[in-house]
Amino acid sequence: MSYEMIALLMFASMMLMMMTGQRVFAAIGFVAVVAALSMWGTGGSEMGFSAAMKLMKWYPLLTLPLFIYMGFMLSESGIANDLYDMFHVWFGSLRGGLAIGTIILMVVVSAMNGLSVAGMAIGATIAMPELLRRGYDKIMVTGVIQAGSSLGILVPPSVVLVLYGMIARQPVSQLWMAGVFPGLIMASMFIIYVVIRCRIQPELGPVLDAEERDMPLSKKLSLLKAGILPLLIFFLMTGLFLMGITSLVESSAVGAVAATVAALIKRRLTRQVMEDTLRKTLGISCMFMWIILAAMCFGSVFDGLGAVRAIKSLFLEQLGLSPWEVLILMQLSFIIMGTFLDDTAMLVIVAPLYIPLVAALNFNLIWYGVLYTITCQIAYMTPPFGYNLFLMKAMAPPQVGLKDIYQSVTPFVAIMILALVLIMVFPQLALWLPTQYYGR
């Protein structure tokens, strides 16, 4: 059997196991181990062992549980909820102001958590009922929350970029910096869309009642203080890192400790909050570690096969595609896979093939990490099986149906595609900040 056929068989077997409902790490790891033992005999078992040792020796891996802990601590203790109260008052006098405040809230929550699930939970349980109660259009509100929460995997400290950095062996700090401007650009595009749409159709985003708008300045300022603490945590964590005072791992520890101290200062550090935070942190961290381990084992088998060289030969020599055409095909495949897989599964399935291929095509792997993440955001919201669509359905009030959720994402997906094209055409939008900082 040819190496190309073995590689195709491995992918087909893995996808078939996933369709039967097997866990991602189990499907990937099982196929990798069976392929290694079949081709190299008992010596093939060393591949999985070597992958495990590489994972355990990789010091930046410590950032993963610490950032996840920080996000869950801020969420479980209700500190992230205080931010919405602040945006509610300060943006409520604008048409669509609460929707704009919700997008900004999502960016801030993303900067504290690194996962899209936390933003979705806060938006669906806190922001959405308030927006609907004040007469906001349910379709627009649903789209705003889904689009805003998707920024969690792009804005630092993005856990997805950490995973990409681990698998692609790229500096996580540079990946985070590369995600800053694209994330802010995308959030700005969402806000511009909401402003224009509410100016054309004012009934979609009415202003607050006069009683709520006429709140005394002293009360507004007191609500403003609620947002200072979580923002201080973020700037303390990233500021020390960018000034070179702390390393990446030390910064994640600063964030985790600061979140715990903030909950203590707010008198919300109860036994239940700590238990829920630790349980969720342990569950998410273990899931990621098993997936990364399986992916590294799968990748080592692929390296041994030489499948990357075979695929490169197929695209460039036999099919005659240009490097840019190959890149576009890879992005389209991510969008298709994203209709039924989450971002982590997509990354670990194709990372052994795509990342070496991107490097062989002489594209920048930092830049490609941003492209991958934006494509994941698009895939999250693409019907019929986008991850965020069903997550929103599970959390949304009864009056928001699946048809409303599908309809709500159309303009935001179009905005994301436009952002993706901009980053592809102008790579410096992603690379300028890490180049400026690390090129000194």
Side-chain angles (χ1 to χ4, degrees), residues 37-50:
L37 292 176
S38 300
M39 288 185 287
W40 289 287
T42 55
S45 62
E46 296 294 326
M47 289 185 165
F49 179 77
S50 297

Side-chain angles (χ1 to χ4, degrees), residues 362-394:
N362 295 318
F363 288 118
N364 187 294
L365 287 176
I366 299 293
W367 169 70
Y368 183 71
V370 175
L371 295 185
Y372 157 76
T373 307
I374 295 175
T375 310
C376 283
Q377 290 178 267
I378 297 170
Y380 265 23
M381 297 172 58
T382 305
F385 303 114
Y387 184 72
N388 271 17
L389 302 175
F390 292 103
L391 201 58
M392 172 57 76
K393 178 57 182 172

Side-chain angles (χ1 to χ4, degrees), residues 79-93 97-98 101-102 104-105 108 126 208 215 219-231:
I79 294 175
N81 301 359
D82 296 339
L83 286 169
Y84 184 73
D85 294 333
M86 179 185 75
F87 291 127
H88 168 80
V89 171
W90 284 88
F91 287 89
S93 59
L98 293 185
T102 300
I104 298 174
L105 171 69
V108 177
I126 298 171
L208 287 181
M215 182 180 294
K219 191 170 182 180
K220 284 188 175 182
L221 291 175
S222 66
L223 286 172
L224 189 61
K225 294 178 183 177
I228 293 176
L229 195 56
L231 291 175

Side-chain angles (χ1 to χ4, degrees), residues 35-36 49 55 66 92 102 136 185 220 277 287 310 324 337 340 420:
F49 179 77
L55 179 65
L66 289 170
T102 300
Y136 274 67
I185 289 170
K220 284 188 175 182
T277 299
M287 177 191 72
W324 278 97
M337 283 190 292
F340 58 92
L420 178 64

Side-chain angles (χ1 to χ4, degrees), residues 158-338:
S158 165
V159 172
V160 172
L161 285 177
V162 173
L163 293 174
Y164 175 86
M166 291 177 184
I167 295 173
R169 294 297 177 185
Q170 295 298 305
V172 175
S173 54
Q174 292 190 36
L175 286 166
W176 280 355
M177 287 190 175
V180 171
F181 282 161
L184 294 177
I185 289 170
M186 202 177 296
S188 300
M189 292 170 74
F190 293 157
I191 291 173
I192 291 169
Y193 166 74
V194 170
V195 169
I196 294 174
R197 186 81 189 275
C198 290
R199 186 175 290 274
I200 296 172
Q201 297 175 281
E203 69 278 4
L204 297 182
V207 298
L208 287 181
D209 296 335
E211 294 180 4
E212 293 182 283
R213 292 201 311 270
D214 296 336
M215 182 180 294
L217 182 61
S218 59
K219 191 170 182 180
K220 284 188 175 182
L221 291 175
S222 66
L223 286 172
L224 189 61
K225 294 178 183 177
I228 293 176
L229 195 56
L231 291 175
L232 181 63
I233 293 171
F234 173 69
F235 286 116
L236 180 68
M237 178 182 65
T238 56
L240 292 175
F241 172 63
L242 294 177
M243 287 187 293
I245 298 173
T246 60
S247 67
L248 177 64
V249 175
E250 290 167 344
S251 294
S252 63
V254 168
V257 172
T260 307
V261 171
L264 185 62
I265 292 172
K266 289 276 189 177
R267 297 182 179 179
R268 298 175 184 174
L269 189 61
T270 63
R271 180 190 178 96
Q272 188 64 44
V273 166
M274 180 59 76
E275 184 176 337
D276 290 344
T277 299
L278 292 175
R279 283 183 181 276
K280 291 179 179 180
T281 300
L282 181 63
I284 297 291
S285 300
C286 290
M287 177 191 72
F288 279 139
M289 286 196 63
W290 275 110
I291 289 175
I292 296 168
L293 176 61
M296 293 179 73
C297 183
F298 196 91
S300 63
V301 176
F302 249 71
D303 288 341
L305 282 174
V308 175
R309 290 189 296 274
I311 296 298
K312 180 185 176 184
S313 174
L314 172 66
F315 282 145
L316 299 181
E317 297 172 13
Q318 298 179 37
L319 298 180
L321 299 177
S322 69
W324 278 97
E325 288 173 332
V326 175
L327 185 72
I328 291 170
L329 282 177
M330 288 192 290
Q331 300 308 102
L332 289 175
S333 71
F334 272 134
I335 293 176
I336 294 170
M337 283 190 292

Side-chain angles (χ1 to χ4, degrees), residues 8 15 49 70 80 90 92 110 118 122 129 183 190 206 239 262 286 383 421 440:
L8 182 62
M15 296 302 295
F49 179 77
M70 180 184 71
W90 284 88
S110 300
I122 291 171
F190 293 157
C286 290
V421 172
R440 293 184 304 190

